[in-house]
Amino acid sequence: KAIGISVTSSVFGGLFSIICLIIGAHLITKVALKFSTPEYFALGVFGLSIIASLSGKSLTKGLIATCLGLFVAMVGMDPVTGVSRFTSGRIELLSGFNFIPMMIGLFGMTEVLIQLSQKRSGQKPVQQQVKKVTPELGLLKRMMPVLLRSSAIGTFIGALPGAGPTIAAFVAYNDLKTTSKQPEKIGTEVPEGVAAPEAANNAA
């Protein structure tokens, strides 16, 4: 079900942004070209401040994760001055850490540890038979306001120079949590929690 919602939301977000691009490409470029150093700084602070609302009950964990992320991002050659930072003299680290292998390693290792803990405790893996993944019409109607708003957020953030799909997904998820009538349920198998970041991510 989550895969179906994810794919449908991605398609919706992509089509929404394409239509926006066709209609308002001239206007979007005007806005994007006005971005300068203060706007970039504000966008960076905004991105970091989102962590405060996404950290849930433990703000400390959120801040630790942020600091760790900032440290990892600082490794490599400075794009402005060309000075190497935290490379320990290794040429391989001059270009920094590659994002995709890091994500695969992080989530892959987590899954390996989960599987090992389940095996030791004697739990059998749950096997599911996937039949229909497309969301029902009623569910799509329910998610439509979230899809439209998240797609609009993704399109706007995608138009800004330097801001990519990751920021769009976080902002859309944060927007959903702040506007939802039951924010405590977001992130606990609620379809909108899957739809919002996926639509924004693809729209960007």
Side-chain angles (χ1 to χ4, degrees), residues 31-159:
V31 174
L33 288 169
K34 285 182 180 176
F35 253 68
S36 59
T37 312
E39 285 82 9
Y40 279 124
F41 177 76
L43 192 69
V45 172
F46 173 66
L48 293 172
S49 67
I50 288 171
I51 293 157
S53 58
L54 290 177
S55 296
K57 292 175 184 177
S58 178
L59 182 60
T60 313
K61 284 181 182 176
L63 290 170
I64 290 166
T66 307
C67 292
L68 187 65
L70 286 170
F71 175 72
V72 169
M74 281 194 289
V75 174
M77 194 179 285
D78 186 279
V80 179
T81 61
V83 175
S84 60
R85 305 171 299 189
F86 307 108
T87 58
S88 303
R90 294 193 70 88
I91 299 166
E92 296 88 349
L93 291 173
L94 283 175
S95 57
F97 291 109
N98 200 319
F99 185 70
I100 294 167
M102 273 194 69
M103 287 294 103
I104 292 168
L106 183 69
F107 291 113
M109 279 305 294
T110 309
E111 187 57 35
V112 166
L113 292 170
I114 289 166
Q115 296 277 359
L116 282 170
S117 66
Q118 283 180 347
K119 203 170 184 181
R120 281 180 184 174
S121 62
Q123 285 182 324
K124 288 184 178 179
V126 179
Q127 293 199 351
Q128 290 181 318
Q129 190 130 15
V130 179
K131 290 177 183 175
K132 188 188 172 189
V133 292
T134 316
E136 310 86 51
L137 200 61
L139 182 60
L140 278 173
K141 280 182 182 177
R142 187 182 117 188
M143 292 192 307
M144 198 50 69
V146 172
L147 287 171
L148 286 165
R149 199 166 62 246
S150 298
S151 298
I153 290 167
T155 304
F156 174 71
I157 289 173

Side-chain angles (χ1 to χ4, degrees), residues 164-177:
T166 311
I167 293 174
F170 271 104
V171 173
Y173 190 77
N174 182 62
D175 172 69
L176 178 67
K177 284 200 91 168

